[in-house]
Amino acid sequence: MSYDKDNIFAKIIRGEISCDKIYEDDFVLSFKDIRPQAPSHALIIPKGNYLDINDFSLNASDNEIIGFNRAIAKVADMLGISENSGGNGYRVIANAGNDAHQEVPHLHFHLLAGRPLGPMVFPEKPN
Ligand code: AMP
């Protein structure tokens, strides 16, 4: 699949659709997920056009990769969900492709927190 410049997160980056912004810098935008799956559910997206983590890992510049990774801790600390900032911890999820049920074709990390999150994977069918 090639990158679709009209996906909803590209529109949010361009300011064509609003978001509940948490943090922004040269490399990333972070905002609240519109359908939260936990008491705290943030998304972090790179500003560059990357389809998923695979595309980003292979094709992003070193500065983009560093900037994106640094932003995870910044957002977690800002939200007070990292143990570092007095929280109880959080989970990072990045869905890539069909089996992972990726809905939006622009790389995003989910930061989930605010309650015990249970097992890491919920299989629809036992292995
Ligand atoms: P994924 O299944 O990993 O692609 O997750 C996509 C996420 O984007 C879902 O959790 C949606 O609730 C979220 N989402 C979709 N549209 C918006 C939006 N306009 N603002 C914030 N979150 C959104």
Side-chain angles (χ1 to χ4, degrees):
M1 189 201 289
S2 59
Y3 185 81
D4 169 13
K5 288 191 170 161
D6 285 325
N7 76 76
I8 191 141
F9 290 173
K11 289 181 177 173
I12 287 175
I13 290 168
R14 293 197 294 268
E16 294 166 13
I17 292 178
S18 64
C19 68
D20 191 349
K21 192 192 290 187
I22 299 166
Y23 174 76
E24 181 173 14
D25 62 26
D26 288 346
F27 298 106
V28 308
L29 179 61
S30 175
F31 49 94
K32 293 190 178 166
D33 195 292
I34 207 167
R35 292 191 302 270
Q37 304 293 313
S40 176
H41 187 169
L43 299 172
I44 304 180
I45 67 176
K47 287 190 170 172
N49 295 345
Y50 298 102
L51 189 56
D52 60 16
I53 186 63
N54 211 73
D55 183 19
F56 187 72
S57 298
L58 288 171
N59 298 314
S61 68
D62 291 356
N63 281 344
E64 287 176 301
I65 291 172
I66 291 167
F68 188 79
N69 276 279
R70 294 264 193 245
I72 295 168
K74 280 183 196 163
V75 170
D77 287 354
M78 282 175 67
L79 293 171
I81 59 177
S82 61
E83 293 187 336
N84 205 30
S85 63
N88 252 345
Y90 62 100
R91 179 172 292 160
V92 177
I93 296 175
N95 295 316
N98 287 334
D99 276 0
H101 292 211
Q102 181 180 3
E103 285 174 22
V104 179
H106 179 110
L107 170 62
H108 49 284
F109 276 19
H110 299 257
L111 266 62
L112 297 148
R115 64 168 169 78
L117 294 166
M120 190 167 64
V121 176
F122 299 89
E124 288 181 355
K125 289 185 278 188
N127 288 326

